[in-house]
Amino acid sequence: QVELVESGGGLVQAGGSLRLSCAASGSTFSIGAMGWYRQAPGKQRDLVAMASSGGSTNYADSVKGRFTISRDNAKNTVYLQMNDLKSEDTAVYYCYADKQYHRYWGQGTQVTVSS
């Protein structure tokens, strides 16, 4: 079992920045990819960014150049640095971790960008 705890969400003005963190605990051995999804009200949950255990990354087109994902494998933590935030980035952000064909999810953290 892997537990994920997110932090760092909040309210920010358009153009501002936030940094999300997601710490994994429990059975963290052999965690594979980690990343972030987001879900706005009335919309589906979409991938924002992911980072493999080897360090490769992938981003949604809408956040490329503005968001940066990183991970500290020693701390079992993944980060999402979000810059130049826009109102359309407003959503609940969920981190995930993949292990042995199972995807674990965090509880979600709200990010609200005011225009």
Side-chain angles (χ1 to χ4, degrees):
Q1 190 78 4
V2 176
E3 292 79 41
L4 301 172
V5 177
E6 299 126 333
S7 60
L11 174 65
V12 65
Q13 289 188 332
S17 298
L18 282 175
R19 188 192 194 209
L20 305 183
S21 299
C22 174
S25 62
S27 180
T28 59
F29 182 75
S30 294
I31 284 179
M34 298 182 74
W36 297 88
Y37 277 70
R38 67 185 180 187
Q39 187 168 22
K43 296 190 176 182
Q44 66 182 19
R45 190 177 294 191
D46 291 324
L47 177 68
V48 177
M50 63 80 66
S52 72
S53 57
S56 61
T57 59
N58 191 30
Y59 296 91
D61 288 343
S62 59
V63 306
K64 284 180 181 176
R66 299 188 298 122
F67 291 11
T68 302
I69 189 170
S70 60
R71 61 188 286 179
D72 184 334
N73 291 330
K75 295 182 178 179
N76 295 306
T77 300
V78 64
Y79 306 95
L80 186 67
Q81 178 67 43
M82 305 185 294
N83 298 328
D84 189 23
L85 283 160
K86 306 177 186 298
S87 58
E88 52 263 41
D89 295 318
T90 295
V92 178
Y93 284 70
Y94 298 90
C95 76
Y96 75 89
D98 290 337
K99 178 177 176 178
Q100 296 175 346
Y101 307 108
H102 185 86
R103 177 159 289 180
Y104 297 89
W105 293 95
Q107 81 284 359
T109 185
Q110 177 70 47
V111 171
T112 302
V113 183
S114 63
S115 57

